[in-house]
């Protein structure tokens, strides 16, 4: 045998394409401290900006005196709303169709709101100058409870729109009301509830939390007065959208705005929107002709940048006595804070909350959402989820548990009875979505077998008897969640941001020597795009992944794209990558056919090149085709080998999963021990199993944090009580349990490679799983529902109220 013969399997292994556990190429620079973040960038003559912020949640500014700050040596400028008004920049548009104050104009609406922007030679001088700013406040009554926002005597918050009774999404009911959004068939749903043998109704509060990325939000603006060009570096999850917004705000032509997002230390939705720091650094640079950097500290990040959740969800289910769900009603009271700055597609004021029917074949449903203003920081980002999908999954999965409890039925059996069946796909939900594919029964049965579910229930029954006998003070909870997520925001028929359709893009250039560079409109914040994108290209065009460079984040070089958030990178950009690669492969086939002197239809693709059908020895490798594309003229073909694809998907994708959590709770201390956590995910085609596992581990850790203690709380005066890591729970290796991961594979039928996305899934499924475990344990004591977060104190308090300490 010829030892130099390379088998097909060996050639596939060399590519490190789809399905390969390829190591993250990004880690080479990160583990050596060679990453390049915004605060690593130093420009000649660079100045530093910082904010004077409000002490109050709701107050009128009687007087703002910045004279002493301006007089401090080293201070170059102090911007206030009065300075921004002539530029019409004291307010900026939000992604939700509202406007938000860049700097407080006459009134502050939440604690730590930006009042003045100091620009100085260094950060220390800026910090000293802030202390010299004198603000005289007239304190006003704060509105913290969203349930009181539309009371007749509620404090008026938004004086700038007090007489505007129509908002971006229709009529407003009250001066503190933002929108009312409804979807579904209300009359049919009401009729079902009127006749149903069994109904349940429970309100679930999904508390306000925060993505808290490792790197805070930052920007560095540099305006060249000679060229009239603005260069903006920043922590941007969607650089092209930021460029468009900056052009709209500043009046600088978009062609003269260069937005660069370098390495980003985590985003999780927190870095999608535009913040006052970005606007003020730009204005200061234009005015002063110097680069101006703004870097927020951790307290500013937690208390003022976009929050997540804060949804009060009243869920009703109608069912038969044997557990067949007949209908669903859901009402949401959404606390948006002082401005509606939710990062949702334009047509969806409550994001994709209408996925709240979950994985279940529910014939009729109705959803109603009311958004209101309060004296809290604005936001509403998709914290590791796709536009309110986590809230929707939590609502239905807690609702299923409450219904099971009322029926005296095992909640897994209730789920199995109501799952959408495999043969029903593509499935049209009662609230308007078309689920692409799934096999929910297969996934649940595999998960049940893996964890020994029936045996766990038997163990739980024995432990409950032991508790009754006084032999133990621990109660056992078994948490179950089965979620369907909707990701891949992109279909122009459904989604846009500020009128720009949410497509995505890829440009691939194959060089003469057989290597390639690919540029995308997305932006990684740790999702391993440089690794996995190259694997897609490797499989599609037969060039080893190690020979493919991936670039993102520079609007000068990358094609226009809508960025990375909501698990849209693989479903949308991944599809654009595959389509661009296939354009290249089609041209390569024409080149190979010419050189092999056959018709192009006589060629077939074989791992890393083309071969003549029936004559495998007559073949041409992609590396040789690349050389020929630049060096041998082919009739009727342009030289070169490159392609661009803009992909507008026909539908979203719908990953799903089955999660199980086993925990023990000490009723005397509220302490929780997570004994086991098993997560089965189905994300369609798996590009890199190792990276999927890492994404699941990270998402589950964040789910643990949110469910078990992570909360941004406010007192009655509007003071933020969770604005530092002393008070805001971030799990370490000590608190984080061992994660067991598993999978099934149900490819998306409309995606070019069948991929669905997975980065958000563990958070979406993990939060209700943890909460269900706690509630399952406390149900033994008589509880129906205990709200998150489930920290030890609240669990102890719930156990005490349920009589466990008697």
């Amino acid at each position: 045998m010829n030892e130099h013969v390379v088998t097909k399997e060996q050639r596939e292994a060399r590519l490190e394409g789809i399905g390969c556990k390829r190591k993250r190429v990004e880690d080479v620079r990160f583990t050596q401290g060679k990453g390049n973040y915004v605060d690593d960038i130093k420009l000649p003559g660079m100045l530093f900006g910082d904010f004077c912020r409000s002490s109050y949640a709701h107050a009128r500014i009687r007087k703002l005196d910045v004279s002493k700050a301006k007089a401090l040596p080293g201070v170059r400028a102090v911007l206030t709303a009065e300075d921004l008004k002539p530029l019409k920049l004291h307010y900026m548009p939000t992604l939700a169709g509202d406007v938000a104050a860049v700097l407080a104009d006459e009134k502050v609406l939440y604690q730590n709101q930006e009042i003045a922007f100091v620009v100085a030679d260094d950060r220390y001088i800026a910090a000293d100058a802030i202390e010299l700013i004198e603000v005289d406040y007239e304190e006003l009554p704060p509105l913290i409870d969203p349930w009181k926002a539309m009371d007749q005597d509620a404090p008026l918050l938004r004086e700038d729109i007090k007489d505007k009774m129509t908002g971006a999404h229709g009529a407003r009911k009250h001066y503190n009301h933002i929108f009312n959004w409804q979807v579904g068939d209300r009359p049919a749903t009401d009729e079902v509830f009127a006749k149903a043998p069994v109904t349940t109704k429970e309100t679930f509060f999904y508390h306000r939390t925060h993505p808290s990325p490792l790197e805070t939000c930052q920007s560095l603006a540099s305006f060249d007065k000679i060229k009239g060009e603005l260069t903006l570096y920043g922590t941007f999850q969607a650089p092209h959208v930021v460029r468009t917004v900056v052009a709209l705000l500043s009046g600088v032509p978009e062609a003269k705005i260069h937005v660069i997002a370098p390495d980003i230390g985590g985003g999780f939705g927190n870095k999608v929107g535009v913040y006052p720091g970005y606007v003020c650094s730009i204005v200061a640079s234009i005015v002063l002709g110097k680069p101006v950097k703004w870097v927020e500290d951790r307290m500013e990040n937690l208390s003022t940048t976009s929050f997540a959740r804060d949804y009060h969800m009243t869920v009703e289910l109608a069912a038969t006595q044997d557990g067949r769900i007949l209908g669903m009603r859901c009402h949401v009271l959404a606390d948006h804070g002082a401005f509606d700055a939710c990062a949702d597609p334009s047509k969806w004021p409550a994001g994709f909350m209408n996925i709240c029917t979950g994985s279940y074949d529910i014939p009729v449903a109705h959803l109603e959402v009311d958004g209101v203003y309060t004296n809290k920081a604005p936001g509403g980002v998709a914290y590791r989820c796709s536009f309110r999908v986590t809230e929707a999954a939590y609502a239905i999965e807690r609702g299923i548990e409450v219904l099971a409890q009322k029926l005296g039925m095992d909640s897994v059996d209730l789920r199995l009875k109501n799952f959408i069946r495999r043969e029903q796909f593509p499935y049209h939900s009662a609230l308007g979505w078309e689920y692409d594919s799934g096999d929910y029964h297969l996934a649940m049965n595999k998960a049940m077998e893996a964890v020994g579910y029936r045996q766990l229930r038997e163990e739980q029954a024995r432990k409950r008897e032991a508790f009754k006998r006084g032999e133990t003070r621990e109660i056992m909870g078994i948490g179950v969640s089965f979620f369907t997520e909707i990701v891949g925001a992109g279909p122009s028929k459904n989604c846009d941001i500020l009128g720009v359709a949410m497509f995505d893009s890829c440009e691939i250039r194959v060089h003469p020597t057989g290597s390639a560079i690919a540029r995308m409109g997305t932006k990684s914040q740790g999702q391993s795009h440089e690794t996995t994108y190259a694997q897609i290209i490797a499989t599609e065009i037969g060039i080893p992944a190690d020979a493919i460079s991936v670039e993102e984040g520079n609007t000068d070089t990358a094609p226009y794209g809508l960025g990375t958030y909501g698990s849209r990178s693989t479903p949308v950009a991944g599809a654009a990558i595959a389509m661009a690669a296939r354009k290249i492969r089609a041209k390569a086939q024409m080149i190979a056919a010419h050189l092999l002197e056959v018709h192009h239809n006589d060629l077939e693709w074989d791992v890393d090149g083309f071969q003549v059908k029936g004559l495998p020895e007559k073949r041409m490798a992609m590396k040789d085709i690349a050389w020929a594309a630049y060096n041998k003229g082919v009739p009727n073909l342009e030289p070169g080998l490159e392609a661009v694809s803009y992909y507008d998907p026909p539908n979203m994708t719908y990953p799903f999963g089955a999660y199980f959590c086993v925990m023990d709770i000490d009723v005397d201390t509220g302490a929780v021990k997570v004994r086991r956590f098993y997560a089965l995910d189905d994300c369609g085609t798996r590009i890199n199993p190792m990276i999927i596992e890492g994404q699941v581990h990270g998402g589950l850790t964040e789910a643990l944090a949110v469910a078990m203690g992570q909360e941004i709380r406010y007192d009655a005066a509007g003071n933020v009580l969770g604005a530092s890591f002393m008070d805001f729970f971030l799990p370490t290796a000590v608190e984080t349990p061992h994660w067991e991961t598993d999978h099934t594979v149900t490819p998306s039928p409309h995606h070019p490679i069948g991929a669905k996305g997975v980065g958000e899934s563990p958070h979406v499924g993990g939060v209700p799983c943890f909460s269900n475990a706690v509630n399952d344990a406390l149900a033994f004591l008589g509880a129906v529902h205990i709200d998150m977060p489930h920290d030890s104190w609240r669990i102890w308090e719930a156990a005490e109220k349920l009589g466990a300490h008697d």
Side-chain angles (χ1 to χ4, degrees):
M1 179 179 175
N2 187 343
E3 63 180 11
H4 296 295
V5 172
V6 180
T7 67
K8 182 176 182 178
E9 290 74 19
Q10 288 173 319
R11 286 187 285 125
E12 286 179 338
R14 286 179 182 176
L15 290 183
E16 293 188 296
I18 293 174
C20 174
K21 293 183 179 181
R22 185 184 183 220
K23 290 184 178 180
R24 283 171 41 106
V25 298
E26 297 92 332
D27 289 345
V28 174
R29 66 179 184 274
F30 293 149
T31 56
Q32 297 181 64
K34 300 298 183 183
N36 186 39
Y37 300 88
V38 173
D39 206 28
D40 292 322
I41 299 169
K42 308 290 191 295
L43 298 180
M46 186 170 67
L47 305 174
F48 297 86
D50 205 351
F51 284 107
C52 169
R53 296 179 179 272
S54 170
S55 305
Y56 294 95
H58 193 199
R60 200 171 303 283
I61 300 174
R62 288 173 171 168
K63 183 180 179 183
L64 176 60
D65 186 351
V66 299
S67 59
K68 292 179 182 177
K70 284 184 176 181
L72 185 69
V75 171
R76 300 298 187 94
V78 180
L79 299 178
T80 67
E82 291 302 313
D83 299 309
L84 298 182
K85 279 181 181 179
L87 305 173
K88 297 183 179 179
L89 286 176
H90 56 307
Y91 277 89
M92 61 181 176
T94 71
L95 297 180
D98 197 0
V99 292
V102 175
L103 295 173
D105 180 24
E106 300 180 359
K107 187 177 177 183
V108 293
L109 290 169
Y110 57 94
Q111 191 179 58
N112 285 345
Q113 184 179 353
E114 298 85 352
I115 295 176
F117 188 69
V118 175
V119 183
D121 289 342
D122 63 45
R123 289 173 177 162
Y124 305 100
I125 295 174
D128 289 342
I130 286 168
E131 298 298 321
L132 298 176
I133 295 176
E134 297 176 359
V135 187
D136 181 16
Y137 297 100
E138 175 193 344
E139 192 172 0
L140 300 172
L143 175 60
I144 304 303
D145 184 350
W147 293 100
K148 298 178 180 179
M150 291 193 286
D151 286 353
Q152 188 175 356
D153 59 350
L156 168 63
L157 304 189
R158 292 288 302 277
E159 294 180 3
D160 59 308
I161 57 170
K162 64 181 179 180
D163 299 321
K164 186 179 179 183
M165 297 314 294
T166 300
H169 303 287
R172 299 170 62 213
K173 303 175 185 177
H174 184 277
Y175 47 76
N176 289 330
H177 186 241
I178 306 172
F179 64 83
N180 175 271
W181 182 59
Q182 299 185 40
V183 61
D185 189 335
R186 172 173 264 172
T189 305
D190 290 346
E191 184 178 351
V192 164
F193 271 85
K195 297 177 181 178
V198 180
T199 61
T200 59
K201 182 177 182 178
E202 193 67 41
T203 297
F204 309 118
F205 176 43
Y206 202 133
H207 55 287
R208 177 176 285 234
T209 184
H210 195 279
S212 56
L214 185 63
E215 180 192 27
T216 60
C217 295
Q218 306 172 14
S219 63
L220 170 56
S222 180
F223 185 71
D224 186 325
K225 289 190 173 184
I226 303 300
K227 296 181 179 180
E229 294 185 355
L230 174 67
T231 301
L232 180 65
Y233 301 87
T235 48
F236 308 134
Q237 290 184 231
H240 285 93
V241 176
V242 169
R243 186 184 68 184
T244 299
V245 171
V246 170
L248 292 171
L249 288 174
S250 68
V252 177
E254 194 164 356
K256 291 193 173 187
I257 300 173
H258 317 288
V259 176
I260 302 168
D263 290 327
I264 296 179
F268 313 113
N270 189 230
K271 295 169 181 172
V272 173
V274 173
Y275 294 116
Y278 303 165
V279 177
C280 288
S281 63
I282 292 168
V283 172
S285 182
I286 291 173
V287 171
L288 297 171
K290 298 279 188 179
V292 177
K293 179 184 283 188
W294 167 72
V295 176
E296 66 177 357
D297 64 28
R298 181 57 59 186
M299 188 170 288
E300 291 171 319
N301 180 257
L302 285 170
S303 64
T304 66
T305 59
S306 289
F307 71 92
R309 320 302 183 230
D310 219 337
Y311 260 31
H312 299 259
M313 303 173 288
T314 302
V315 176
E316 298 177 78
L317 292 175
T320 61
Q321 290 286 359
D322 65 350
R324 177 67 184 140
I325 300 174
L326 303 173
M328 178 184 186
R329 282 194 300 228
C330 182
H331 178 268
V332 178
L333 182 67
D335 186 340
H336 285 246
F339 308 102
D340 185 7
C342 282
D344 291 325
S346 301
K347 300 170 187 175
W348 306 96
F352 300 156
M353 184 66 201
N354 54 326
I355 194 76
C356 62
T357 53
S359 311
Y360 309 103
D361 183 15
I362 301 177
V364 293
H366 182 262
L367 167 70
E368 182 175 8
V369 184
D370 280 297
V372 295
Y373 293 119
T374 61
N375 288 122
K376 300 175 187 174
V381 299
Y383 174 12
R384 200 145 192 168
C385 83
S386 180
F387 310 118
R388 302 293 186 175
V389 173
T390 296
E391 291 93 321
Y394 183 75
I396 185 62
E397 288 306 291
R398 283 299 302 132
I400 288 287
E401 294 287 320
V402 170
L403 176 60
Q405 189 174 345
K406 184 166 185 176
L407 292 169
M409 188 175 182
D410 186 288
S411 67
V412 166
D413 294 335
L414 180 61
R415 288 177 171 89
L416 289 167
K417 191 180 192 76
N418 289 283
F419 276 155
I420 301 163
R421 300 184 307 279
R422 180 177 181 174
E423 62 270 19
Q424 290 179 274
F425 290 96
Y427 174 81
H428 292 265
S429 77
L431 293 179
W433 297 117
E434 182 186 295
Y435 295 25
D436 55 358
S437 64
D439 194 336
Y440 298 166
H441 290 87
L442 174 68
M444 180 62 96
N445 287 323
K446 183 177 183 180
M448 290 172 64
E449 183 178 349
V451 300
Y453 177 69
R454 302 300 181 190
Q455 293 81 3
L456 285 172
R457 286 298 183 193
E458 292 170 1
E459 178 190 351
Q460 184 183 50
R462 292 193 299 271
K463 289 198 169 185
R464 287 178 171 179
E465 289 301 317
F467 184 90
K468 289 178 182 177
R469 295 191 297 266
E471 297 170 5
T472 179
R473 297 296 290 164
E474 284 190 342
I475 52 177
M476 177 179 169
I478 302 172
V480 184
S481 73
F482 196 101
F483 66 92
T484 295
E485 194 183 4
I486 177 172
V487 304
S492 57
K493 62 183 179 181
N494 296 125
C495 300
D496 71 273
I497 291 181
L498 297 177
V500 181
M502 292 177 70
F503 56 83
D504 232 293
S505 58
C506 174
E507 174 194 275
I508 303 173
R509 294 181 179 180
V510 180
H511 303 310
T513 52
S515 63
I517 185 168
R519 296 184 173 101
M520 290 81 183
T522 49
K523 176 56 195 172
S524 175
Q525 310 110 47
Q527 294 94 336
S528 311
H529 290 177
E530 293 172 46
T531 304
T532 56
Y533 285 175
Q535 290 182 253
I536 297 172
I537 297 168
T539 292
E540 292 288 343
I541 65 174
I543 292 175
D546 281 345
I548 301 168
S549 297
V550 172
E551 289 186 6
E552 300 176 292
N554 188 331
T555 59
D556 284 354
T557 57
Y560 200 106
L562 273 290
T564 294
Y565 40 85
S567 251
R568 66 184 304 277
S569 295
T570 299
V572 189
I577 292 164
M579 299 305 286
R582 290 174 189 181
K583 289 180 182 179
I584 285 175
R585 195 167 76 187
K587 184 174 181 180
Q589 185 172 354
M590 302 297 289
I591 296 169
H594 174 75
L595 296 175
L596 292 171
E597 299 181 326
V598 296
H599 191 274
H600 65 270
N601 286 336
D602 294 327
L603 295 180
E604 60 185 4
W605 179 252
D606 180 45
V607 181
D608 59 357
F610 290 96
Q611 66 184 27
V612 178
K613 296 174 183 177
L615 297 171
E617 70 281 359
K618 193 173 182 180
R619 71 185 312 276
M620 193 169 187
M622 196 69 184
K623 185 173 183 179
D624 298 325
I625 295 172
W627 182 260
Y630 291 90
N631 292 282
K632 295 185 179 179
V634 178
N636 302 318
L637 279 184
E638 294 180 351
L641 200 55
E642 57 187 58
V644 177
S645 175
Y646 284 82
Y647 184 76
D648 183 2
N651 189 11
M652 311 285 190
T653 61
Y654 296 78
F656 58 91
Y659 288 7
F660 285 83
C661 175
V662 184
M663 65 169 57
D664 297 305
I665 296 175
D666 185 323
V667 297
D668 293 322
T669 63
V672 172
K673 290 184 293 187
V674 177
R675 228 197 299 161
R676 188 175 185 187
F677 198 103
Y678 168 91
L680 180 149
D681 282 282
D682 192 314
C683 60
T685 300
R686 294 161 62 84
I687 298 170
N688 187 319
M690 182 172 63
I691 285 174
I692 290 173
E693 187 172 322
Q695 289 272 32
V696 172
H697 286 185
L700 289 176
T701 303
E702 288 182 306
L704 170 73
V706 169
M708 307 306 289
Q710 196 172 83
E711 180 184 23
I712 299 292
R713 293 182 296 125
Y714 292 79
D715 66 14
N719 297 307
V720 187
L721 303 180
S724 79
F725 285 157
M726 293 294 289
D727 305 296
F728 190 76
F729 174 48
L730 281 187
T732 68
V734 175
E735 294 88 6
T736 304
H738 172 71
W739 308 119
E740 297 176 55
T741 61
D742 205 345
H743 67 277
T744 56
V745 177
T746 312
S748 172
H750 62 78
H751 191 279
I753 64 172
K756 292 187 174 186
V758 75
E760 324 283 3
S761 294
H763 195 84
V764 172
V767 173
C769 192
F770 282 115
S771 186
N772 283 346
V774 172
N775 276 281
D776 180 63
L778 294 173
F780 168 59
L781 302 177
V784 175
H785 172 71
I786 304 297
D787 274 326
M788 298 187 294
H790 302 302
D791 55 74
S792 296
W793 164 251
R794 293 182 216 207
I795 291 176
W796 179 91
E797 188 176 43
E800 196 272 337
K801 289 179 180 178
L802 293 166
H805 305 153
D806 294 343

